[in-house]
Amino acid sequence: MAPQTRLLSLGLISCALASVLPPFGSSHPAPTSGQHGVVFMEQFIHPQVKFNWRNITCPVCKAVFAILDVALLSDANEERVAHAVGEACIRLHLAEEQVCREITELFRSDFIRVLQESLLWPSEACGLLVGPSCGKFDIYAPWNITLPKVPKPPVIPPSPPTPSSPKSRVLFLTDIHWDQEYEPGSAVDCKEPLCCRNSSGSPSWKKRKAGYWGTYGKCDLPLRTVENVLENVARFGPWDWVYWTGDIPAHNVWSQTRKQQLSELSVVSRLIHKYLGPNVTVYPAIGNHESTPVNSFPPPFIRGNRSSAWLYDKMADEWAVWLPEQALKTLRYGGFYTVEVQPGLRVVSLNMNFCAKENFWLMVNSTDPANQLQWLVHILQASEDKGEKVHIIGHIPPGLCLGSWSWNYYHIVNRYESTIAGQFFGHTHLDEFQMFFDEETMTRPVGVAFIAPSITTYVDLNPGYRVYSVDGNYKGSSRLVLDHETYILNLTEANSSPAPNPKWSLLYRATEAYGLSSMFPSNCNGLIRTLINDDRVFQKFWYFRFKGHVSEPCRETCKTTILCFLRSGRYDELEQCDLLNGFGGNLARAARKTLC
């Protein structure tokens, strides 16, 4: 390792343990209106799982990293450093001993390789872990993609289709999180980041027991529930096509193996094909949990065993039943692809792990990893030239991405607003959306990223899925989202007397629930104004956001955080909304800790 190389060794535990924290906006009840905003934001960032680098003082942090920096100049010291990091995790009570040891072992090889190639000083490391008062963490330098010199076409506001116009019915699945070790009757409340497992132990007489179909708590789903979802959607068809945006494995990220990840990828991919049938095409996107270590997605210039070839190649094999060879080629290269869905409509599936701060490989180089955004511009320009509309799918919403990536993506959406007809994401496990506005005034809505709720229950949720009604296949179609529906399995009812076929029910239809004519960007922006002015409608949105399982209303500080999120399709807009409302950066930091 070169002498100038700087280390973030304890960040090994930081990044790894952050991956097992509950998701952004998890469904723990909001504080009452009398509680202080800072308290709310701390709960917003770290619900349930206790993990706080503020236990370490700034001088101690810098001293530790300086020592470790020198230690790793010799490869022979890697074993000692990894052991020391594991011990630090245990002694600082960052997690249970087993989790500390296993996650250190899992992450250490790849993470140390990244640190040896990165340029981090101890002050930068401590700025990340302890806070800005201890140093500045700014390794993700600004960068710009290049747009063609072709002028942007005049924007023609979309008109609602006639009632008799064809409509496309699109199934959307995301965040399955199947737990092979889910055990009915096991403890719901355990010390590990994931419960309801055969290793969680038996609950005492005062404690809750894991249910047959799933459980409210830090729990993922048994395979029977995954299959039941697919049985239900198969009966509810036919579907014109399906979008599926990843996250197959459970949240036991400290103990996963490549073999296990690949097996679960195969099982779930084949189940989807089995239940939906050979005549329904599924367009998948890759989630952050598909890899192990979690969030670890090296750019394509990383070769050999540390590359993501082991994962991308298996995806290409399993998804060849749905995707043509050209799409499989870019999938194998970088986990993204494009396909023509119908004449006049194209889908682009992005690998959003190349925009995620938690992907520690981006510490080496975060400038448009895999040239994915430049490739997206090329696809969009070709579609504009041909008069095609484009749907973009991905796992992590762009408003939660690294600043430069998010800014560039927002710029692309602005330039191609007449071509991009829909954006569809998951990851937060919640039912929400994020708006995009024209960059000149930041007032005219140009797009909306729909964020669909998860199939998993993690954390404290009902299982759910989404159905989109899209302007259909006819000449001049806008291909915009006209409406959407959310379906849930009420676990309280399903587990009360388990039956072979529990009832899935419609939670709500968006246009009906909110009194909208469609889900065009202008309508979604109007909905935000209604949420601001009408608390009754906002509380309805809050209830739907958690798939019908929330115990308290959302008031004042809580409400402001949600409205900031909905308006912020670009990360710096989230920061600005955050600062304007006096959260001092806590909201933006909370958003970046979304690690479902």
Side-chain angles (χ1 to χ4, degrees), residues 152 376 380 392 398 408-420 423 436-437 446-448:
K152 179 178 176 177
L376 173 63
L380 291 171
I392 296 175
N408 277 286
Y409 181 86
Y410 205 97
H411 196 42
I412 292 169
V413 170
N414 263 258
R415 168 58 185 84
Y416 294 100
E417 66 170 291
S418 298
T419 298
I420 299 172
Q423 303 173 64
F436 292 70
F437 299 94
V446 301
V448 55

Side-chain angles (χ1 to χ4, degrees), residues 225-375:
T225 308
V226 177
E227 288 203 70
N228 188 258
V229 174
L230 298 175
E231 289 173 355
N232 184 75
V233 298
R235 287 194 300 268
F236 193 49
W239 306 104
D240 290 287
W241 65 87
V242 179
Y243 292 147
W244 171 32
T245 60
D247 268 15
I248 299 167
H251 287 82
N252 60 316
V253 300
W254 64 93
S255 61
Q256 292 171 342
T257 65
R258 287 185 177 185
K259 182 179 179 181
Q260 173 190 335
Q261 305 296 88
L262 296 180
S263 172
E264 293 176 355
L265 169 66
S266 294
V267 169
V268 173
S269 297
R270 293 176 190 185
L271 283 174
I272 290 174
H273 186 259
K274 169 187 171 183
Y275 284 105
L276 296 182
N279 298 323
V280 177
T281 302
V282 178
Y283 300 102
I286 186 171
N288 62 303
H289 273 263
E290 263 67 84
S291 183
T292 186
V294 66
N295 302 310
S296 175
F297 291 86
F301 62 78
I302 301 295
R303 309 254 179 196
N305 189 52
R306 283 192 172 94
S307 76
S308 290
W310 65 275
L311 179 60
Y312 297 155
D313 287 346
K314 184 65 170 180
M315 286 177 168
D317 292 343
E318 294 297 336
W319 299 346
V321 293
W322 300 314
L323 304 178
E325 184 53 41
Q326 183 57 38
L328 297 176
K329 183 177 179 180
T330 56
L331 177 62
R332 289 189 184 96
Y333 170 74
F336 53 86
Y337 65 87
T338 183
V339 179
E340 182 184 69
V341 177
Q342 294 174 338
L345 176 63
R346 175 169 297 276
V347 63
V348 173
S349 177
L350 295 179
N351 185 348
M352 300 300 287
N353 297 292
F354 288 145
C355 81
K357 177 184 173 184
E358 297 76 33
N359 182 3
F360 51 79
W361 285 98
L362 300 188
M363 290 193 295
V364 178
N365 184 358
S366 64
T367 302
D368 194 12
N371 293 314
Q372 180 179 219
L373 284 186
Q374 201 64 61
W375 169 85

